[in-house]
Amino acid sequence: MATRTTAALGCSLLIMYLVTRAAGQPLTVALLGVVITMVASRSVNEPDLRQQRITMALLPLPAALSITAAALLAPYAIPSDVVFVAIVFTAVYIRRFGARGRALGMVAFMSYFFTLYLRARISELPWLIGAVVVGTLCTYVMSTYVLPDRPERVLRATVRALRARMAIVVDTTAEAVGTGRLDERRRRRMRARTIRLNETALMVQGQIEDKADPAMLWPGVSSEQLAPWLFDAELAIEWVATAGRRAAALSADLPPATRAELVAALTQLARAMRTAEAGGLRRAADRAQRILDRQSPTAARDDDPGEAAVRRLALAIVNAASATAEVRAIVEGAAAGKAGALRDDESVPPPAPEAPAPDAAEEGLRPTTRQAIQVSVAASLAIVAGELVSPARWYWAVIAAFVIFAGTNSWGETLTKGWQRLLGTILGVPCGVLVATLFAGDTRAALVAIFVCLFCAFYFMTVTYSLMTFWITTMLALLYGLLGQFSFGVLMLRIEETAIGAVIGVTVAILVLPTNTRTTIRNDTRTFLTALSALIEISTATMFGEEQTASPTEQARQLDRALQQFRISAKPLLAGVAGFAGRRSIRRGLRIFAACDRYGRSLARSAEQYQDAAGSSPELADAFMAAAAQTQRNIEALVAAIGGAHAPTIVSVTDDLDTAETLARQQDGEGAPRPDTRRFLTAVHALRQIERAITTAATDLGARDNPNVPSPVAS
């Protein structure tokens, strides 16, 4: 993306330089084409290529209207500012129409803004509109023909990244088991790496759903096949981490030789995931199987915690080797090898049980309308304040006030983006002074450095916003040097104007129709719990032969996305906006929801693999469905209580789950449980853990004493 955008900028600048030189127009006309190129490259991002082309073709229309209005109103300060605020409102308001609305709105804003800044004359209108067309065409050619998106290549790389994330989680587990210490720092590291594994898996799922066709990489492999295979592998690695944490916590009860063998098996598993080592996964599974062969058949019971921990971890390693062997077969283009891959569904044990760990005024406005009003107020104040500080450089304040609202849903997120922009500007000023001084008088070197800065800015745009601002500020220092306008005072003025715009934007976000971060989190909490309830319903129906519009795995991915959105919304509070009490509460809520997500995915896969609906006794099915239905009612009670004055009423489903588990074991008699019975028991265990997490959340909500301190779900 960074290469494509930078190349499009270079082409646009070169063409417009030649055109303006031949036509006797000022070089500033070319700058508008460069700006539109930059906006088009970053804003046009629909998944469908046809929709991208339509959006690209529409870009010159709002740009031409904005340029014409700005050129006509430029001599009149107040009318031009009033229309500017109206365009700001419209640009944000039409974001409700999705990616196309965001792109058209951004182009309209930037076109009007830069036409005013360049003080363009009416006679220059044809050339300015031509610059927009050139910039759009350069972007189109680069994105369609020269450096197009290659979804299948991205999918291949992302699957490799998923394997690497899996290996990192296994390595971290091996370290914890090997050292025998599981302090809070190691727990946080394991949680963080497991979260990154899940995020990478969501990236793969997004590629499959939006653009990439797996069959173009691996003939015979469809999206419907690849998604559950990757899901199984991800879930298997998470079970390794869970079992590894238990083994590390009980390291004092493990014989040193056994612990060393477990570490060796984990290390072999991680190495085999990373490389194409022949037979590596088989050797890891064999190491773990030898450990299992020496264990007592009753070691999975809790009468000997040390042996139970060893058996669970060894079983998890065997299952992980089995599941990742399928991913290896896919990645190496050997989809036909699926049948020969290590596959041992019967070795998948239930994970060991873990200890349970808006205002009415706002409700009448859609988020885009509310934010459009906020941005309009912020832009108006920024125009006034910016012109008071510097009539020639007021635009930096307006830009800062406008952009910190992009991609934010609450004042906490706006605050975070505002200080990141200010931080990047402050750090970029001394770097810009240094670079501009070094390249003073060397036009070619300065031009090269400008494009390097632009590349870095685009590269870090989706990584760290403060770094993007840093490179933009450095680039501006070089640009002013080329134009003969560079001075330390100009860069210091940029800091002042950026600070003014950021402070105004954050203040408006807090005071004008604010969306409190806790309000956003409450909404995300409801979304997550609703997705969890739907997952339980779909999984239960699938287990007992009822038709469903969505598969349990698809709904599990929806639950993953809901959890990811909750994490994004909670990030400002975790960064310290809400104070220490708020951070503790949000972290606890995240742990509860992460447990629900993990066991929800386990329930989904067990439901899809369960094949014994016809052979199950009616009493067994009735007990499980009754437990699932009551758990859904408990979730609904919890959702209804969020933000309310009354604590939810929760009804335990322990008796129904105990009945279902007992009937399942009796159904198989004294022998080893059948595969479907094991899957059913895994589903029972997953539902039991979800119910415990919901009960814990409800207890926290009902026991809340201080309404100003958010509970895990109420916040």
Side-chain angles (χ1 to χ4, degrees):
M1 183 275 293
T3 303
R4 181 171 59 210
T5 305
T6 306
L9 284 173
C11 290
S12 175
L13 182 61
L14 177 61
I15 293 172
M16 288 309 302
Y17 170 75
L18 296 175
V19 170
T20 54
R21 188 173 182 181
Q25 294 294 318
L27 184 60
T28 52
V29 170
L31 294 180
L32 183 60
V34 170
V35 169
I36 297 304
T37 303
M38 180 174 64
V39 174
S41 296
R42 289 299 303 128
S43 300
V44 180
N45 52 15
E46 291 105 325
D48 184 68
L49 292 178
R50 181 174 177 273
Q51 295 302 319
Q52 284 186 18
R53 291 165 184 166
I54 293 174
T55 303
M56 201 83 71
L58 292 174
L59 290 183
L61 298 179
L65 291 174
S66 293
I67 291 169
T68 303
L72 291 173
L73 296 173
Y76 312 102
I78 294 179
S80 65
D81 289 347
V82 170
V83 173
F84 192 12
V85 173
I87 288 177
V88 166
F89 177 89
T90 305
V92 177
Y93 183 82
I94 64 174
R95 289 175 184 172
R96 66 179 57 198
F97 300 111
R100 179 169 297 163
R102 287 192 295 272
L104 297 179
M106 182 62 74
V107 166
F109 168 82
M110 297 300 287
S111 298
Y112 189 92
F113 177 86
F114 271 90
T115 304
L116 279 184
Y117 166 62
L118 297 173
R119 302 183 185 276
R121 299 184 299 273
I122 296 177
S123 60
E124 295 173 351
L125 273 177
W127 301 103
L128 291 170
I129 296 174
V132 170
V133 174
V134 168
T136 304
L137 286 175
C138 287
T139 304
Y140 176 77
V141 170
M142 282 292 171
S143 60
T144 305
Y145 299 108
V146 182
L147 292 169
D149 286 329
R150 302 186 185 277
E152 285 72 29
R153 182 182 298 177
V154 175
L155 176 61
R156 185 193 298 274
T158 314
V159 169
R160 289 174 181 164
L162 181 66
R163 285 174 51 197
R165 285 292 185 197
M166 291 177 180
I168 289 171
V169 172
V170 175
D171 274 337
T172 308
T173 305
E175 179 191 359
V177 174
T179 58
R181 294 191 300 272
L182 194 62
D183 53 23
E184 185 57 31
R185 182 178 64 85
R186 283 190 171 84
R187 287 181 186 275
R188 285 199 303 269
R189 184 190 302 169
M190 292 185 74
R191 281 197 298 267
R193 291 180 175 178
T194 303
I195 288 171
R196 289 172 186 154
L197 168 63
N198 180 244
E199 290 172 347
T200 308
L202 282 176
M203 290 173 62
V204 176
Q205 186 71 21
Q207 285 289 322
I208 295 173
E209 292 175 353
D210 291 340
K211 298 180 180 180
D213 180 9
M216 295 185 66
L217 291 173
W218 309 295
V221 178
S222 66
S223 299
E224 290 74 17
Q225 291 173 310
L226 180 60
W229 290 345
L230 295 175
F231 189 84
D232 282 345
E234 177 197 357
L235 203 59
I237 298 303
E238 289 188 359
W239 284 343
V240 169
T242 300
R245 283 196 296 270
R246 292 195 166 278
L250 296 170
S251 59
D253 299 330
L254 306 184
T258 301
R259 194 167 69 190
E261 289 177 338
L262 287 171
V263 172
L266 288 167
T267 303
Q268 176 67 54
L269 178 63
R271 184 167 60 248
M273 288 176 186
R274 282 196 176 91
T275 65
E277 178 184 358
L281 293 172
R282 168 66 68 184
R283 285 195 291 275
D286 289 345
R287 284 176 181 266
Q289 189 61 51
R290 287 196 293 271
I291 299 173
L292 282 173
D293 293 341
R294 293 198 300 271
Q295 295 294 308
S296 166
T298 61
R301 303 184 183 276
D302 289 333
D303 50 1
D304 189 337
E307 286 191 6
V310 170
R311 182 172 181 82
R312 289 190 186 103
L313 181 53
L315 281 167
I317 294 171
V318 172
N319 183 65
S322 168
T324 52
E326 290 183 348
V327 179
R328 167 69 58 77
I330 298 170
V331 170
E332 293 176 354
K338 176 180 182 291
L342 283 168
R343 189 62 190 166
D344 186 12
D345 284 328
E346 289 71 37
S347 70
V348 182
E354 292 187 356
D359 297 334
E362 292 175 30
E363 292 175 356
L365 293 176
R366 294 181 63 171
T368 48
T369 305
R370 175 189 52 77
Q371 198 170 72
I373 294 172
Q374 289 179 320
V375 177
S376 300
V377 173
S380 301
L381 296 174
I383 290 172
V384 174
E387 288 186 343
L388 288 175
V389 173
S390 173
R393 310 290 183 188
W394 57 269
Y395 49 87
W396 279 328
V398 180
I399 284 285
F402 180 83
V403 299
I404 65 172
F405 282 94
T408 60
N409 298 308
S410 66
W411 70 260
E413 293 181 43
T414 304
L415 174 59
T416 300
K417 194 168 184 180
W419 75 255
Q420 286 181 344
R421 184 174 182 84
L422 182 58
L423 176 64
T425 302
I426 292 173
L427 296 178
V429 164
C431 182
V433 171
L434 176 62
V435 173
T437 303
L438 288 175
F439 292 111
D442 192 337
T443 303
R444 291 183 180 178
L447 279 173
V448 171
I450 284 174
F451 279 94
V452 169
C453 290
L454 286 171
F455 174 88
C456 293
F458 297 130
Y459 182 88
F460 287 107
M461 183 175 289
T462 56
V463 179
T464 304
Y465 186 70
S466 55
L467 276 177
M468 183 208 75
T469 309
F470 168 86
W471 288 107
I472 288 291
T473 303
T474 305
M475 181 274 297
L476 286 174
L478 288 165
L479 182 61
Y480 281 126
L482 281 179
L483 298 176
Q485 300 176 11
F486 171 76
S487 70
F488 182 73
V490 169
L491 294 183
M492 290 303 297
L493 186 60
R494 174 172 167 79
I495 293 179
E496 294 177 27
E497 295 278 0
T498 300
I500 290 171
V503 169
I504 288 175
V506 172
T507 303
V508 169
I510 294 173
L511 299 180
V512 179
L513 301 174
T515 297
N516 191 283
T517 303
R518 289 182 174 84
T519 302
T520 302
I521 293 176
R522 277 197 292 270
N523 294 334
D524 291 341
T525 297
R526 294 187 184 98
T527 301
F528 176 86
L529 293 174
T530 301
L532 178 62
S533 180
L535 174 64
I536 295 172
E537 180 180 2
I538 292 172
S539 298
T540 304
T542 301
M543 287 179 68
F544 299 104
E546 297 180 15
E547 291 293 329
Q548 291 295 312
T549 56
S551 72
T553 297
E554 291 172 350
Q555 185 60 34
R557 283 304 183 203
Q558 187 61 37
L559 188 67
D560 285 342
R561 295 186 185 95
L563 178 60
Q564 189 176 47
Q565 181 57 49
F566 182 89
R567 287 194 179 105
I568 292 171
S569 299
K571 193 172 182 179
L573 291 182
L574 295 176
V577 176
F580 290 105
R583 286 201 292 272
R584 287 195 299 270
S585 179
I586 294 300
R587 286 195 181 103
R588 180 168 170 79
L590 276 172
R591 286 197 295 271
I592 290 173
F593 286 174
C596 290
D597 180 68
R598 181 168 67 251
Y599 289 113
R601 287 184 284 142
S602 175
L603 173 63
R605 287 306 288 153
S606 299
E608 288 188 334
Q609 295 170 349
Y610 185 63
Q611 303 280 332
D612 200 29
S616 299
S617 67
E619 294 82 4
L620 181 148
D622 290 344
F624 188 90
M625 288 193 290
Q630 183 57 55
T631 302
Q632 286 184 264
R633 287 192 289 271
N634 289 343
I635 293 173
E636 291 169 2
L638 190 57
V639 170
I642 294 172
H646 302 288
T649 300
I650 301 296
V651 178
S652 175
V653 301
T654 300
D655 291 343
D656 288 326
L657 289 175
D658 287 347
T659 300
E661 185 172 351
T662 301
L663 290 172
R665 294 185 185 279
Q666 290 176 349
Q667 189 170 273
D668 277 5
E670 296 297 326
R674 292 178 297 127
D676 280 311
T677 300
R678 292 190 178 187
R679 297 186 185 108
F680 181 81
L681 293 175
T682 300
V684 169
H685 176 76
L687 187 59
R688 191 189 301 275
Q689 295 303 103
I690 292 172
E691 191 260 348
R692 287 178 179 176
I694 294 300
T695 301
T696 300
T699 301
D700 290 341
L701 182 60
R704 184 178 51 174
D705 295 324
N706 181 0
N708 294 322
V709 177
S711 75
V713 292
S715 59

